[in-house]
Amino acid sequence: MAAPGSVGLSVLILLFILLLLLPPPLRAAEPSEEPADTRGAAQARAYSAPAPVTDVARLCVCDLLVAQCDVNCCCDADCSPQEFGLFTACSVPLVRGDSHLCRQKAAVYSLDVEANPPERTFQLIDQVNPSIFCIHATNYKQALHLRSPEMPTPENFDDLLNEFGSPAFSAEPENVDTDPPDADETQRYEYGLPIQTQDAFLRLPSPVVSSWCSDANPAGFLVNQATKCIRSVSVERCESIQALNMQFYINSSILAVNISVQSIAVQSLEGTRTALKGADGLRLPLILDDLCLNVVLGVSYHITYTDTGEIIEAAAAFVLGAITKETLSVQQSFQISFTQSTSRHSQLSILQSTASQDCLAAQAARAPVLFGHNMISGCKLRITAAMKCQPLAQTLLEVLKGQSFPEYVASFGNSQAQDVLDWVPITHLHISEQSSCQIPVSFGIEVKWTKYGSLVNPQARIVNVTATLTTTTLQQLPSGRERTIPITSSVVFTDISSPAEPGYKAWPTINIKLPYDFFYPFV
């Protein structure tokens, strides 16, 4: 039988072992501190620009042929390295997304002509927009993609039918203010501004969503447009459809300028057109048996403006036709063009000879300078002792140069006023004698031009215009004496074109490398 003391010791040892085997007590979880680099990345993501919607490395605007290589299209994925070696240049060297963003990715393509054969090089760069009005971040996600159309349901079908049920509907919001400003503020136009009329804007119908015509397209100043669209018609309602009536297109004036009828052409059912002579009035739609006559098939606006942006004339040319009872729709064409007004004071002109040959009487007679036509004209000046030198010299200068001699000449026949590089400044030379009183006796204009463009269809381009004024000494005449001197004006055109020389590509070089022991054992 064991002693009591040994039994108590065994129990203590057993309790100590159990305490060692028990798991440690659970502690409350302490909040972990976020690393500094994680917080910085989160802030960078919060202030960074949104991810681009389009991958510019995969975007190619010149890839027009399916599964074929487009010539000089360096971003075409269908082109092989051998085809890249035949390219002469990259038609689209830079591909980017939205140009309004402050920072975006851009793909740069180029050709390494020093390589043999030439190789295409590609580089993805970060492009920075220097404009202060650039978009830093786009937080309106709906603007990054097309909005999903609302699907018709039994509940919203009536609302969608009222909004989109007609053949054409407007894409403009209903709250757009189309009231034109005051007439005093709109007499001068800038490029692209809508042309204002008395009620709203000059409309140029065009297809919006489908091929159906929409009358909500405003015509922009100096923006040449040509559109075609389809209009729903019927013989029974042709007299009540405004878009088929000539009056619909000329009933509102462009501020103080009325739109006149320039010409009317009648198109038959077979498609042949006949111009009506002296037709400047309205020809309204007319129902005759199973036909509707005088239906508007085409309108061409022609706007004339000044160099200050003021519209001074507006005309419309119409194409009228007929529709049958079986016709459900017609195609209408619309066009608008702009021409800057020219007068004898705003174009290059010289003195025009008159029958009297009197310089002082022929001050207002001017002849326009026609390209390629060498011209010479003149008059006679009768000098008396009572004539003063300075007033006579000023009068002769106005006779030779005109009241407003231009400072620039268009290098091409169709140069636009906004294309500054297409205008050549006139160089003035003065040939005079050493005396106190000089009067002009000759004014010559030399126009140097060259052939520009392809050899098949070269275009004439003016490269230099020189105006030379020659003066002579006015000698004082005795009292009662008269003297007559000739005054001449001329224009000479000089062709400075260099003879065309055919150009050929360099012959290909063959790089042959022989092994170092090719001629062994002879050398």
Side-chain angles (χ1 to χ4, degrees), residues 82-138:
Q82 292 78 12
E83 291 172 327
F84 283 135
L86 301 177
F87 287 1
T88 58
C90 293
S91 58
V92 182
L94 180 66
V95 179
R96 63 183 181 181
D98 191 355
S99 60
H100 299 287
L101 293 177
C102 296
R103 182 183 296 272
Q104 62 175 331
K105 291 289 185 181
V108 180
Y109 298 91
S110 61
L111 289 178
D112 186 5
V113 295
E114 296 182 357
N116 189 14
E119 298 178 354
R120 184 206 67 170
T121 59
F122 166 75
Q123 186 180 7
L124 196 62
I125 63 174
D126 289 330
Q127 192 176 42
V128 178
N129 189 354
S131 176
I132 61 175
F133 300 105
C134 62
I135 300 175
H136 177 69
T138 54

Side-chain angles (χ1 to χ4, degrees), residues 201-207 214-220 223-227 299-301 334-336:
F201 298 100
L202 180 63
R203 306 294 182 177
L204 194 71
S206 63
S214 172
D215 299 324
N217 177 38
V223 180
N224 296 329
Q225 300 183 57
T227 61
V299 183
S300 296
Y301 290 105
F334 301 93
Q335 186 177 0
I336 185 170

Side-chain angles (χ1 to χ4, degrees), residues 166-169 205-215 228-233 328-330:
S166 60
F169 53 90
S206 63
V208 179
V209 179
S210 61
S211 57
W212 296 98
C213 293
S214 172
D215 299 324
K228 290 183 180 181
C229 55
I230 298 176
R231 186 89 62 177
S232 177
V233 297
L328 300 179
S329 62
V330 294

